[in-house]
Amino acid sequence: MAVHPSQLFSITPGSTEPIYRQLVEQVRRLVAGGQMAPGDELPSVREVASSLAVNPMTVSKAYSLLETEGLLARRRGLGMLVAERPRSSRSQAERAALLRPTLERAAREARELELDPDTVLDLFTHLLKEAS
């Protein structure tokens, strides 16, 4: 069953990170974290582009990169899906590395807001404990 793009993806248009890279990293995190499992369908390029108001070539580029690295598989006439591979294919260190860019951005924003580390860590701990 395909999921609506707005439930999977969010982009930051003003980010220094290109939109296609944002999409690639989000798919990697969703798969590594188990929110997307082998065989799960991704929304079509057209659906994602329309939902996020981006060029379809941007989404296509992200999907192609993920297909090249073996994370996604193309089904003729049916679109992209998460490739079949063991859930434990990524170590905890690899999964943590996927989180690092997000945490770096959050740390930069916390410094810009002049928040002390204890306040930021308390907030992050609270967010981790919230039910998804």
Side-chain angles (χ1 to χ4, degrees):
M1 178 173 92
V3 178
H4 192 271
S6 64
Q7 295 174 310
L8 287 179
F9 305 117
S10 66
I11 58 166
T12 307
S15 172
T16 57
E17 186 175 32
I19 292 171
Y20 79 92
R21 284 307 248 166
Q22 293 179 47
L23 294 173
V24 166
E25 290 304 317
Q26 288 176 47
V27 171
R28 285 178 181 157
R29 284 194 298 272
L30 288 166
V31 173
Q35 289 90 357
M36 292 195 77
D40 285 352
E41 292 179 33
L42 276 85
S44 73
V45 167
R46 187 176 304 146
E47 289 173 314
V48 175
S50 175
S51 174
L52 300 177
V54 299
N55 188 314
M57 291 303 293
T58 300
V59 180
S60 182
K61 182 175 185 176
Y63 279 11
S64 292
L65 286 170
L66 291 161
E67 183 181 20
T68 300
E69 76 178 47
L71 198 60
L72 298 182
R74 186 177 312 270
R75 286 187 307 175
R76 191 178 188 113
L78 297 175
M80 300 296 278
L81 58 108
V82 178
E84 295 295 329
R85 57 194 255 173
R87 279 182 59 104
S88 61
S89 62
R90 288 190 187 255
S91 69
Q92 183 168 353
E94 289 172 315
R95 294 191 315 262
L98 291 172
L99 182 60
R100 185 176 181 91
T102 301
L103 293 177
E104 287 172 346
R105 285 191 297 276
R108 185 172 44 252
E109 288 183 31
R111 286 190 296 273
E112 290 170 0
L113 293 169
E114 299 177 357
L115 294 171
D116 68 277
D118 289 335
T119 300
V120 175
L121 291 174
D122 287 345
L123 175 59
F124 187 64
T125 300
H126 176 75
L127 292 171
L128 284 172
K129 291 178 181 178
E130 284 182 358
S132 307

PDB file of all heavy atoms in Angstrom, residues 12-33:
ATOM      1  N   THR A  12      13.225  21.281   3.256  1.00  0.00           N
ATOM      2  CA  THR A  12      13.555  22.623   3.720  1.00  0.00           C
ATOM      3  C   THR A  12      14.108  23.367   2.519  1.00  0.00           C
ATOM      4  O   THR A  12      15.284  23.208   2.181  1.00  0.00           O
ATOM      5  CB  THR A  12      14.596  22.557   4.863  1.00  0.00           C
ATOM      6  OG1 THR A  12      14.117  21.676   5.863  1.00  0.00           O
ATOM      7  CG2 THR A  12      14.846  23.930   5.449  1.00  0.00           C
ATOM      8  N   PRO A  13      13.256  24.129   1.825  1.00  0.00           N
ATOM      9  CA  PRO A  13      13.678  24.793   0.592  1.00  0.00           C
ATOM     10  C   PRO A  13      14.897  25.700   0.741  1.00  0.00           C
ATOM     11  O   PRO A  13      15.731  25.772  -0.140  1.00  0.00           O
ATOM     12  CB  PRO A  13      12.455  25.610   0.168  1.00  0.00           C
ATOM     13  CG  PRO A  13      11.306  24.940   0.842  1.00  0.00           C
ATOM     14  CD  PRO A  13      11.857  24.396   2.128  1.00  0.00           C
ATOM     15  N   GLY A  14      15.059  26.377   1.872  1.00  0.00           N
ATOM     16  CA  GLY A  14      16.180  27.292   2.053  1.00  0.00           C
ATOM     17  C   GLY A  14      17.462  26.633   2.529  1.00  0.00           C
ATOM     18  O   GLY A  14      18.472  27.289   2.735  1.00  0.00           O
ATOM     19  N   SER A  15      17.442  25.316   2.693  1.00  0.00           N
ATOM     20  CA  SER A  15      18.604  24.591   3.188  1.00  0.00           C
ATOM     21  C   SER A  15      19.749  24.607   2.176  1.00  0.00           C
ATOM     22  O   SER A  15      19.526  24.667   0.966  1.00  0.00           O
ATOM     23  CB  SER A  15      18.207  23.138   3.471  1.00  0.00           C
ATOM     24  OG  SER A  15      19.345  22.359   3.789  1.00  0.00           O
ATOM     25  N   THR A  16      20.959  24.518   2.701  1.00  0.00           N
ATOM     26  CA  THR A  16      22.119  24.410   1.810  1.00  0.00           C
ATOM     27  C   THR A  16      22.191  23.013   1.198  1.00  0.00           C
ATOM     28  O   THR A  16      22.870  22.817   0.198  1.00  0.00           O
ATOM     29  CB  THR A  16      23.429  24.696   2.568  1.00  0.00           C
ATOM     30  OG1 THR A  16      23.534  23.800   3.675  1.00  0.00           O
ATOM     31  CG2 THR A  16      23.462  26.127   3.075  1.00  0.00           C
ATOM     32  N   GLU A  17      21.496  22.055   1.809  1.00  0.00           N
ATOM     33  CA  GLU A  17      21.466  20.696   1.281  1.00  0.00           C
ATOM     34  C   GLU A  17      20.446  20.636   0.140  1.00  0.00           C
ATOM     35  O   GLU A  17      19.293  21.018   0.313  1.00  0.00           O
ATOM     36  CB  GLU A  17      21.079  19.705   2.373  1.00  0.00           C
ATOM     37  CG  GLU A  17      21.158  18.263   1.934  1.00  0.00           C
ATOM     38  CD  GLU A  17      20.889  17.287   3.066  1.00  0.00           C
ATOM     39  OE1 GLU A  17      20.102  17.612   3.977  1.00  0.00           O
ATOM     40  OE2 GLU A  17      21.459  16.200   3.025  1.00  0.00           O
ATOM     41  N   PRO A  18      20.870  20.164  -1.051  1.00  0.00           N
ATOM     42  CA  PRO A  18      19.936  20.088  -2.182  1.00  0.00           C
ATOM     43  C   PRO A  18      18.707  19.239  -1.842  1.00  0.00           C
ATOM     44  O   PRO A  18      18.782  18.294  -1.051  1.00  0.00           O
ATOM     45  CB  PRO A  18      20.758  19.420  -3.290  1.00  0.00           C
ATOM     46  CG  PRO A  18      22.174  19.590  -2.893  1.00  0.00           C
ATOM     47  CD  PRO A  18      22.194  19.660  -1.396  1.00  0.00           C
ATOM     48  N   ILE A  19      17.595  19.567  -2.460  1.00  0.00           N
ATOM     49  CA  ILE A  19      16.342  18.866  -2.178  1.00  0.00           C
ATOM     50  C   ILE A  19      16.454  17.371  -2.453  1.00  0.00           C
ATOM     51  O   ILE A  19      15.978  16.551  -1.661  1.00  0.00           O
ATOM     52  CB  ILE A  19      15.178  19.502  -2.961  1.00  0.00           C
ATOM     53  CG1 ILE A  19      14.904  20.906  -2.411  1.00  0.00           C
ATOM     54  CG2 ILE A  19      13.909  18.650  -2.877  1.00  0.00           C
ATOM     55  CD1 ILE A  19      13.931  21.733  -3.219  1.00  0.00           C
ATOM     56  N   TYR A  20      17.105  16.991  -3.549  1.00  0.00           N
ATOM     57  CA  TYR A  20      17.211  15.553  -3.846  1.00  0.00           C
ATOM     58  C   TYR A  20      17.975  14.840  -2.738  1.00  0.00           C
ATOM     59  O   TYR A  20      17.650  13.714  -2.382  1.00  0.00           O
ATOM     60  CB  TYR A  20      17.832  15.307  -5.231  1.00  0.00           C
ATOM     61  CG  TYR A  20      19.329  15.442  -5.298  1.00  0.00           C
ATOM     62  CD1 TYR A  20      20.147  14.334  -5.116  1.00  0.00           C
ATOM     63  CD2 TYR A  20      19.941  16.659  -5.562  1.00  0.00           C
ATOM     64  CE1 TYR A  20      21.523  14.441  -5.171  1.00  0.00           C
ATOM     65  CE2 TYR A  20      21.302  16.784  -5.629  1.00  0.00           C
ATOM     66  CZ  TYR A  20      22.101  15.675  -5.427  1.00  0.00           C
ATOM     67  OH  TYR A  20      23.461  15.781  -5.479  1.00  0.00           O
ATOM     68  N   ARG A  21      18.985  15.514  -2.130  1.00  0.00           N
ATOM     69  CA  ARG A  21      19.750  14.902  -1.044  1.00  0.00           C
ATOM     70  C   ARG A  21      18.877  14.783   0.203  1.00  0.00           C
ATOM     71  O   ARG A  21      18.981  13.816   0.951  1.00  0.00           O
ATOM     72  CB  ARG A  21      20.986  15.735  -0.701  1.00  0.00           C
ATOM     73  CG  ARG A  21      22.133  15.625  -1.664  1.00  0.00           C
ATOM     74  CD  ARG A  21      22.536  14.313  -1.911  1.00  0.00           C
ATOM     75  NE  ARG A  21      23.735  13.681  -1.538  1.00  0.00           N
ATOM     76  CZ  ARG A  21      23.838  12.360  -1.606  1.00  0.00           C
ATOM     77  NH1 ARG A  21      22.817  11.611  -1.921  1.00  0.00           N
ATOM     78  NH2 ARG A  21      24.952  11.762  -1.366  1.00  0.00           N
ATOM     79  N   GLN A  22      18.023  15.782   0.437  1.00  0.00           N
ATOM     80  CA  GLN A  22      17.119  15.713   1.574  1.00  0.00           C
ATOM     81  C   GLN A  22      16.209  14.490   1.438  1.00  0.00           C
ATOM     82  O   GLN A  22      15.986  13.750   2.408  1.00  0.00           O
ATOM     83  CB  GLN A  22      16.272  16.986   1.669  1.00  0.00           C
ATOM     84  CG  GLN A  22      17.062  18.235   2.016  1.00  0.00           C
ATOM     85  CD  GLN A  22      16.174  19.463   2.064  1.00  0.00           C
ATOM     86  OE1 GLN A  22      15.101  19.439   2.661  1.00  0.00           O
ATOM     87  NE2 GLN A  22      16.614  20.551   1.443  1.00  0.00           N
ATOM     88  N   LEU A  23      15.699  14.270   0.234  1.00  0.00           N
ATOM     89  CA  LEU A  23      14.818  13.115  -0.006  1.00  0.00           C
ATOM     90  C   LEU A  23      15.577  11.806   0.176  1.00  0.00           C
ATOM     91  O   LEU A  23      15.073  10.862   0.799  1.00  0.00           O
ATOM     92  CB  LEU A  23      14.215  13.195  -1.403  1.00  0.00           C
ATOM     93  CG  LEU A  23      13.253  14.362  -1.644  1.00  0.00           C
ATOM     94  CD1 LEU A  23      12.867  14.428  -3.122  1.00  0.00           C
ATOM     95  CD2 LEU A  23      12.024  14.256  -0.767  1.00  0.00           C
ATOM     96  N   VAL A  24      16.794  11.731  -0.355  1.00  0.00           N
ATOM     97  CA  VAL A  24      17.615  10.520  -0.229  1.00  0.00           C
ATOM     98  C   VAL A  24      17.836  10.195   1.246  1.00  0.00           C
ATOM     99  O   VAL A  24      17.636   9.056   1.679  1.00  0.00           O
ATOM    100  CB  VAL A  24      18.966  10.685  -0.970  1.00  0.00           C
ATOM    101  CG1 VAL A  24      19.956   9.591  -0.567  1.00  0.00           C
ATOM    102  CG2 VAL A  24      18.759  10.669  -2.478  1.00  0.00           C
ATOM    103  N   GLU A  25      18.237  11.200   2.018  1.00  0.00           N
ATOM    104  CA  GLU A  25      18.513  10.970   3.442  1.00  0.00           C
ATOM    105  C   GLU A  25      17.256  10.549   4.196  1.00  0.00           C
ATOM    106  O   GLU A  25      17.314   9.694   5.073  1.00  0.00           O
ATOM    107  CB  GLU A  25      19.134  12.216   4.080  1.00  0.00           C
ATOM    108  CG  GLU A  25      20.543  12.498   3.608  1.00  0.00           C
ATOM    109  CD  GLU A  25      21.507  11.343   3.820  1.00  0.00           C
ATOM    110  OE1 GLU A  25      21.479  10.712   4.907  1.00  0.00           O
ATOM    111  OE2 GLU A  25      22.275  11.042   2.895  1.00  0.00           O
ATOM    112  N   GLN A  26      16.119  11.126   3.842  1.00  0.00           N
ATOM    113  CA  GLN A  26      14.876  10.758   4.518  1.00  0.00           C
ATOM    114  C   GLN A  26      14.499   9.311   4.226  1.00  0.00           C
ATOM    115  O   GLN A  26      14.091   8.579   5.127  1.00  0.00           O
ATOM    116  CB  GLN A  26      13.753  11.714   4.125  1.00  0.00           C
ATOM    117  CG  GLN A  26      13.937  13.086   4.747  1.00  0.00           C
ATOM    118  CD  GLN A  26      12.897  14.078   4.315  1.00  0.00           C
ATOM    119  OE1 GLN A  26      11.714  13.781   4.310  1.00  0.00           O
ATOM    120  NE2 GLN A  26      13.331  15.280   3.949  1.00  0.00           N
ATOM    121  N   VAL A  27      14.647   8.877   2.984  1.00  0.00           N
ATOM    122  CA  VAL A  27      14.337   7.480   2.655  1.00  0.00           C
ATOM    123  C   VAL A  27      15.306   6.554   3.392  1.00  0.00           C
ATOM    124  O   VAL A  27      14.894   5.540   3.962  1.00  0.00           O
ATOM    125  CB  VAL A  27      14.374   7.231   1.133  1.00  0.00           C
ATOM    126  CG1 VAL A  27      14.263   5.732   0.820  1.00  0.00           C
ATOM    127  CG2 VAL A  27      13.257   8.001   0.439  1.00  0.00           C
ATOM    128  N   ARG A  28      16.586   6.907   3.403  1.00  0.00           N
ATOM    129  CA  ARG A  28      17.568   6.079   4.127  1.00  0.00           C
ATOM    130  C   ARG A  28      17.180   5.935   5.588  1.00  0.00           C
ATOM    131  O   ARG A  28      17.246   4.838   6.153  1.00  0.00           O
ATOM    132  CB  ARG A  28      18.960   6.698   4.022  1.00  0.00           C
ATOM    133  CG  ARG A  28      19.616   6.531   2.688  1.00  0.00           C
ATOM    134  CD  ARG A  28      20.958   7.226   2.682  1.00  0.00           C
ATOM    135  NE  ARG A  28      21.615   7.114   1.399  1.00  0.00           N
ATOM    136  CZ  ARG A  28      22.546   7.953   0.971  1.00  0.00           C
ATOM    137  NH1 ARG A  28      22.932   8.966   1.730  1.00  0.00           N
ATOM    138  NH2 ARG A  28      23.091   7.793  -0.210  1.00  0.00           N
ATOM    139  N   ARG A  29      16.795   7.053   6.220  1.00  0.00           N
ATOM    140  CA  ARG A  29      16.410   6.999   7.637  1.00  0.00           C
ATOM    141  C   ARG A  29      15.142   6.176   7.847  1.00  0.00           C
ATOM    142  O   ARG A  29      15.037   5.420   8.807  1.00  0.00           O
ATOM    143  CB  ARG A  29      16.234   8.410   8.196  1.00  0.00           C
ATOM    144  CG  ARG A  29      17.545   9.122   8.482  1.00  0.00           C
ATOM    145  CD  ARG A  29      17.342  10.361   9.335  1.00  0.00           C
ATOM    146  NE  ARG A  29      16.506  11.361   8.702  1.00  0.00           N
ATOM    147  CZ  ARG A  29      16.943  12.321   7.893  1.00  0.00           C
ATOM    148  NH1 ARG A  29      18.210  12.390   7.592  1.00  0.00           N
ATOM    149  NH2 ARG A  29      16.112  13.201   7.387  1.00  0.00           N
ATOM    150  N   LEU A  30      14.173   6.329   6.964  1.00  0.00           N
ATOM    151  CA  LEU A  30      12.921   5.567   7.097  1.00  0.00           C
ATOM    152  C   LEU A  30      13.177   4.069   7.000  1.00  0.00           C
ATOM    153  O   LEU A  30      12.592   3.276   7.744  1.00  0.00           O
ATOM    154  CB  LEU A  30      11.918   5.999   6.022  1.00  0.00           C
ATOM    155  CG  LEU A  30      11.292   7.377   6.216  1.00  0.00           C
ATOM    156  CD1 LEU A  30      10.594   7.827   4.926  1.00  0.00           C
ATOM    157  CD2 LEU A  30      10.326   7.380   7.384  1.00  0.00           C
ATOM    158  N   VAL A  31      14.050   3.672   6.092  1.00  0.00           N
ATOM    159  CA  VAL A  31      14.361   2.251   5.927  1.00  0.00           C
ATOM    160  C   VAL A  31      15.209   1.756   7.094  1.00  0.00           C
ATOM    161  O   VAL A  31      14.924   0.711   7.684  1.00  0.00           O
ATOM    162  CB  VAL A  31      15.049   1.984   4.574  1.00  0.00           C
ATOM    163  CG1 VAL A  31      15.537   0.541   4.477  1.00  0.00           C
ATOM    164  CG2 VAL A  31      14.091   2.291   3.420  1.00  0.00           C
ATOM    165  N   ALA A  32      16.246   2.520   7.456  1.00  0.00           N
ATOM    166  CA  ALA A  32      17.125   2.118   8.554  1.00  0.00           C
ATOM    167  C   ALA A  32      16.363   2.017   9.869  1.00  0.00           C
ATOM    168  O   ALA A  32      16.630   1.133  10.685  1.00  0.00           O
ATOM    169  CB  ALA A  32      18.284   3.099   8.694  1.00  0.00           C
ATOM    170  N   GLY A  33      15.401   2.918  10.061  1.00  0.00           N
ATOM    171  CA  GLY A  33      14.628   2.926  11.300  1.00  0.00           C
ATOM    172  C   GLY A  33      13.471   1.950  11.319  1.00  0.00           C
ATOM    173  O   GLY A  33      12.775   1.824  12.312  1.00  0.00           O
TER     174      GLY A  33
END
